[in-house]
Amino acid sequence: MGTFSGRAWLSALALVVGAAPAFAQSEPVQLDPMTVRRLTDLPGEAAFLGSPYILASRNSVEFNGRLYFLSNVYDPKSSIRVGELWVTDGTPQGTRSLQEWLPPSTSIDPLSLRATPHRLFFTARTPGARFQLWTSDGTREGTHLTRELPPDRIHGVGYQTPIIPVGDSVLFTVLGTGGLPAELWKSDGTEAGTVPIKNVAADSAYVTAGGSARLGDTVFFTASGPAGEELWRTDGTEAGTLMVRDLNPGPGSAFPRDLTAVGGLVYFAAQTRQEGHSLWKSDGTAEGTVRVADFPREGAGNHIFHLTALGDTVFFISYAPEGISLWRSDGTEAGTLPVMTKPASLIGGTSQGLFPVGNRLYLVGQDSVAGDSLWVTDGTPEGTTRLPRPAPFERAFIDGATAWEGGLAFTVTTGEGASELWRTDGTDAGTSRLTRLPSGQPSATSAGLVPFQGALLTTAGDAWTPRALWRLERDDASLTFVCPATKDVPSNRPEGTDLFNHPPELRSGPEGAAIRSTFMNGRLLRLHEPTPITYQAEDALGRFAYCTTVTTSRDLTAPAMNNCPTALTLSAQSARGVTFYYPGLLIVDETSRDVLVTYSPENGSVLPLGTTQMTVTAKDASGNVNTCSFPVTVRDNQGPGRACKVNEVRVEAEGPGGAHAFWPDLTPSDSISSQVTVTSTHASGDLFPLGLTRVQVVSTDDAGNSTTCEIQVRVRDSRPPALTCPEDQTLTTSVMSGTRAEYPAATAADSVSEAELLYSPVVGTPLAPGLHAVQVTAIDAAGNAALCDFHLTVQYDPTSDMRQSMGCSVGSGPESAVGWVALVALAWTLSRRLKDGKPRG
């Protein structure tokens, strides 16, 4: 959200400044992706910019998870800007002044705040005293003067003298005779560790403000002595503090400036009598300090500025009669090439700032007359473009910029005092407004941006707060005004308009959000006098939204139209659509009694399927016109009829795999759509398994309406197996109690499943002599059963076992008969002799 297409990256800003939009605004107003919260009010002229003329300067440092900053207040007694120490953890409760940690009336040098891994350092002074070096570990007890300077250092530390962090220590200079920075010191925050490194004044030299740069543990700086103002270096020791090379031999000065570390070298601008102004580089040795390229310009003095590292390449700005140029250099003369040259009026002739972000470099040109400009480059002429001006037809100014989320975040303030936060990745499509900033306080526009905890902090004032610290953070449900650049309100009296409750629309905010404006409710807005009005909204979560609109009272009293719908959706009554009648609109006019109302399309028209734009126009006797326009969408919301002609189909199983089932054709009807598509999980005639199968049938018309019905297919096995019993059987036994049942198996056949055979009595069951019935049951997997029976006769024959006793076999032939007669005779004889247990004669 908040992103605008292609060329329209600043069209929303044009809404604020009253100029015509820079680009076509075809997209609806989007919610800003960031929200604004106030952390605390700030005193004086607090700002995050250390210098009002250097866009990249800061008077804040991050230390131990908190941000320490200075309030940067102008002191009329000393005519210098001094700082008051503050700290924030990103919350209102954790944002407060730390001046109580310092002696009363202590003032801090606004450009002196620095941090090492374990301490803060800054220079401060008490009334009637000089600036001295202070330190803090983030606690009241750990905040103290590092060391009282010796009495002979009557000037103390110079105002806006650089403090350079090196490891856990800092380097700084102490003023000598005449107030010149002459003595180089270092401090680790302790009294014993705050010591002078070298008295440069002893060599008839003094440290200048030409700049400094670090390469590892070596610091490069400029100092002036018998050889003039030249390049020096120090490793923190007296022996290691010396002039690198006399660039301009003799007493003349080379004026090294803009010292910048790039890779393993330090680049700087300098000038000599022979070559004029040149680009130099140094590895810290005299022989390794060489000129890279010359930029002669007679009588122009220094004209190479803003040396900035991007990877292993140094970029800088040069001034020439033909205009302002952006250059790049790889450290060789052949590799020092112009990227672009433009007239000063196009880039911004007052000052510039270079911001490296990733593999891109942004150039901000600041011009107090023509307005500011923003450029982006990948280091090649063809990859260098200018992003559209914030306000194409009016001045706009970039008051803060910083690398953030892989791009450049920056603030823009217009001549009307409206301020906004933007972000760009260097492309039109990747450039968007993030939020509107507090506005309505011309003397306290947004100044500086500091990334902190993934959010952005800035200082600004609005019409109700002189200046405050604000937190800007991502928020998908932020408050957002629909903020037009200009707004004409109809006059309700000859002198103008008594303005009542006229704030712009507020998006995404709760209904209870409080809205106030700089224009008193009910006050007369005079006819034809454009008046900037700033609106502020605040919700219960402490989120703010701002809008500045230039409002003008005009004789534009058109009929008021209330109850205008935003959009309507109707269901089609037939294939032609639906007959539409406009809803009742409350149309009133304060001056005209006769209002002509027209409708397009006419009332009672038949609207076809799709969307039709409806317009109601009301025109009063003065020719003022108001319209109410809304889309009416006619949709086919009626689903087709059921395609299923039957709900259930029952079939007999054909085999183990089930059976084929058939049903009537699926033919749904639809009174609106001309075509209906029918899909089903099974087709008529498919083979279905045993049991219940649910066939889902879906009918879908052209509009996507669908109707579902179901056919239940039941495949059952209701036929019993075909069972065949054996023939009747006869069993002979010589035992009077009978014998065990024995008989052949029955046979059963089933086309669907195997059948289980059950016998009663079962084989092996003891049977007494006589006639027995054997019942056979065949049961298949579906539980279908078939029955049959046969008879089993058990005969008692006492001689049946003798036929096969003792290994002899009694046959059925004549010989067998003779044998049987003999055996019977023998048995009868023995029985007679042994009758009654006694032998007989």
Side-chain angles (χ1 to χ4, degrees):
M1 293 184 294
T3 302
F4 289 75
S5 62
R7 300 172 301 162
W9 75 280
L10 283 171
S11 61
L13 186 60
L15 292 175
V16 179
V17 301
F23 310 104
Q25 299 179 59
S26 59
E27 299 183 14
V29 174
Q30 302 289 328
L31 295 179
D32 289 342
M34 296 191 75
T35 194
V36 179
R37 283 184 170 86
R38 181 169 58 201
L39 297 183
T40 188
D41 293 347
L42 293 174
E45 300 177 7
F48 274 132
L49 290 180
S51 169
Y53 309 107
I54 303 176
L55 195 62
S57 67
R58 292 181 183 170
N59 54 5
S60 62
V61 294
E62 192 168 346
F63 176 66
N64 286 344
R66 291 177 171 83
L67 187 75
Y68 293 81
F69 61 97
L70 302 176
S71 61
N72 197 13
V73 178
Y74 178 75
D75 182 5
K77 294 181 179 179
S78 60
S79 299
I80 62 175
R81 304 182 72 85
V82 296
E84 180 179 320
L85 185 61
W86 284 71
V87 66
T88 182
D89 62 0
T91 67
Q93 299 79 10
T95 305
R96 61 193 182 94
S97 171
L98 300 181
Q99 282 299 108
E100 60 183 23
W101 293 1
L102 303 173
S105 302
T106 298
S107 57
I108 303 174
D109 185 336
L111 290 180
S112 67
L113 190 59
R114 297 292 183 271
T116 64
H118 300 97
R119 302 198 67 82
L120 293 172
F121 289 89
F122 55 90
T123 58
R125 69 175 181 178
T126 55
R130 52 195 172 169
F131 279 103
Q132 306 217 48
L133 184 68
W134 287 69
T135 187
S136 176
D137 62 359
T139 66
R140 178 194 294 268
E141 298 76 16
T143 303
H144 55 81
L145 182 68
T146 56
R147 172 183 171 182
E148 185 74 34
L149 294 176
D152 56 331
R153 275 71 168 182
I154 58 175
H155 296 285
V157 180
Y159 177 67
Q160 295 192 355
T161 296
I163 295 180
I164 307 169
V166 182
D168 283 335
S169 300
V170 293
L171 301 179
F172 63 102
T173 56
V174 176
L175 299 178
T177 303
L180 297 175
E183 197 167 38
L184 187 65
W185 284 57
K186 69 177 179 180
S187 175
D188 61 4
T190 66
E191 182 176 4
T194 304
V195 295
I197 297 175
K198 185 171 185 176
N199 188 352
V200 183
D203 296 333
S204 299
Y206 60 90
V207 179
T208 68
S212 63
R214 278 187 58 190
L215 281 182
D217 293 333
T218 300
V219 175
F220 292 77
F221 59 96
T222 60
S224 180
E229 187 173 336
E230 300 290 350
L231 181 68
W232 287 61
R233 67 178 175 87
T234 181
D235 60 3
T237 66
E238 182 176 5
T241 303
L242 67 160
M243 184 176 68
V244 177
R245 175 182 168 183
D246 187 2
L247 305 176
N248 195 9
S253 295
F255 303 110
R257 57 176 305 167
D258 277 15
L259 278 62
T260 304
V262 184
L265 300 173
V266 169
Y267 286 78
F268 57 94
Q271 65 183 47
T272 63
R273 290 188 300 272
Q274 294 79 10
E275 292 82 13
H277 209 202
S278 307
L279 177 68
W280 290 72
K281 65 180 179 180
S282 176
D283 62 1
T285 66
E287 57 276 9
T289 303
V290 296
R291 185 175 57 255
V292 176
D294 295 331
F295 292 83
R297 184 181 174 191
E298 185 176 355
N302 290 342
H303 54 277
I304 297 179
F305 299 94
H306 305 297
L307 271 67
T308 304
L310 182 66
D312 293 331
T313 304
V314 63
F315 289 79
F316 56 93
I317 296 290
S318 73
Y319 292 88
E322 58 272 18
I324 299 175
S325 300
L326 175 67
W327 289 73
R328 59 172 293 166
S329 177
D330 61 2
T332 66
E333 184 174 7
T336 302
L337 303 168
V339 177
M340 73 167 181
T341 299
K342 300 292 180 182
S345 60
L346 190 60
I347 291 183
T350 303
S351 62
Q352 297 82 30
L354 298 181
F355 296 86
V357 182
N359 59 355
R360 295 174 182 265
L361 184 73
Y362 296 88
L363 185 154
V364 177
Q366 295 186 288
D367 193 311
S368 58
V369 177
D372 298 344
S373 59
L374 179 62
W375 301 73
V376 62
T377 182
D378 61 3
T380 64
E382 59 274 11
T384 303
T385 59
R386 177 182 178 177
L387 296 174
R389 291 179 67 91
F393 308 107
E394 189 173 332
R395 294 180 303 156
F397 307 98
I398 299 176
D399 299 314
T402 187
W404 187 64
E405 291 189 347
L408 185 74
F410 58 98
T411 61
V412 178
T413 302
T414 70
E416 301 294 341
S419 188
E420 293 187 341
L421 173 69
W422 287 72
R423 179 191 170 276
T424 180
D425 63 2
T427 66
D428 288 350
T431 304
S432 63
R433 186 194 70 210
L434 299 181
T435 189
R436 293 184 178 92
L437 298 175
S439 56
Q441 181 65 263
S443 62
T445 57
S446 175
L449 280 175
V450 176
F452 182 62
Q453 297 177 343
L456 291 170
L457 301 183
T458 189
T459 63
D462 60 24
W464 305 272
T465 304
R467 189 176 293 272
L469 177 64
W470 305 86
R471 180 185 176 102
L472 320 172
E473 57 190 330
R474 292 284 181 182
D475 186 351
D476 292 335
S478 64
L479 293 173
T480 302
F481 275 119
V482 181
C483 187
T486 60
K487 180 167 61 177
D488 292 337
V489 295
S491 58
N492 51 24
R493 53 186 289 188
E495 298 82 7
T497 304
D498 289 328
L499 198 60
F500 290 94
N501 298 323
H502 223 277
E505 180 184 354
L506 184 66
R507 295 282 178 89
S508 184
E511 295 182 1
I515 300 178
R516 54 182 176 176
S517 73
T518 55
F519 198 88
M520 184 180 300
N521 197 23
R523 175 183 164 194
L524 176 65
L525 183 68
R526 294 199 170 277
L527 194 66
H528 305 310
E529 290 185 6
T531 304
I533 301 177
T534 297
Y535 299 91
Q536 179 203 74
E538 180 183 8
D539 65 11
L541 300 178
R543 301 180 301 183
F544 287 83
Y546 288 88
C547 170
T548 297
T549 300
V550 178
T551 306
T552 306
S553 172
R554 302 186 186 278
D555 185 10
L556 301 172
T557 307
M561 305 182 69
N562 302 309
N563 303 327
C564 181
T566 57
L568 296 176
T569 301
L570 304 176
S571 296
Q573 298 171 339
S574 67
R576 295 179 59 217
V578 66
T579 302
F580 177 76
Y581 295 94
Y582 287 84
L585 303 178
L586 180 60
I587 302 176
V588 296
D589 191 272
E590 294 183 356
T591 57
S592 298
R593 294 183 178 180
D594 298 325
V595 177
L596 176 64
V597 181
T598 58
Y599 301 91
S600 177
E602 292 183 0
N603 206 15
S605 299
V606 176
L607 302 185
L609 289 168
T611 300
T612 303
Q613 193 71 18
M614 316 300 293
T615 302
V616 182
T617 302
K619 183 177 181 181
D620 64 13
S622 300
N624 296 310
V625 175
N626 196 3
T627 61
C628 162
S629 183
F630 55 95
V632 174
T633 301
V634 180
R635 293 178 177 172
D636 175 7
N637 293 324
Q638 176 181 319
R642 287 166 47 93
C644 304
K645 299 300 184 291
V646 295
N647 295 328
E648 185 179 42
V649 175
R650 296 184 179 185
V651 294
E652 186 67 28
E654 302 167 359
H660 293 81
F662 298 87
W663 53 78
D665 291 340
L666 304 174
T667 55
S669 61
D670 194 295
S671 61
I672 298 177
S673 294
S674 60
Q675 182 176 356
V676 179
T677 302
V678 180
T679 59
S680 62
T681 56
H682 297 80
S684 179
D686 282 355
L687 179 66
F688 290 82
L690 287 165
L692 175 64
T693 300
R694 299 180 185 273
V695 179
Q696 298 292 328
V697 180
V698 180
S699 305
T700 305
D701 62 16
D702 292 340
N705 303 306
S706 62
T707 302
T708 302
C709 62
E710 180 180 278
I711 300 175
Q712 296 184 357
V713 177
R714 297 181 185 273
V715 179
R716 59 184 181 178
D717 176 11
S718 62
R719 297 191 183 102
L723 178 62
T724 304
C725 278
E727 297 294 330
D728 292 347
Q729 305 290 315
T730 301
L731 299 178
T732 302
T733 178
S734 61
V735 181
M736 293 183 67
S737 61
T739 186
R740 295 183 182 277
E742 291 184 6
Y743 45 80
T747 60
D750 193 282
S751 62
V752 178
S753 62
E754 293 185 1
E756 180 184 4
L757 294 174
L758 304 175
Y759 299 85
S760 178
V762 300
V763 172
T765 302
L767 298 178
L771 181 64
H772 300 274
V774 179
Q775 188 179 58
V776 182
T777 303
I779 302 177
D780 62 14
N784 301 307
L787 300 175
C788 70
D789 56 18
F790 61 94
H791 293 92
L792 190 64
T793 303
V794 179
Q795 296 179 344
Y796 171 68
D797 184 355
T799 64
S800 62
D801 288 348
M802 297 177 63
R803 297 179 185 181
Q804 294 183 358
S805 62
M806 300 177 64
C808 296
S809 175
V810 180
S812 61
E815 298 80 5
S816 299
V818 175
W820 275 104
V821 172
L823 287 173
V824 170
L826 177 60
W828 182 85
T829 302
L830 289 174
S831 66
R832 295 288 295 173
R833 290 180 178 180
L834 295 176
K835 190 175 180 180
D836 300 326
K838 298 179 181 181
R840 297 181 182 273

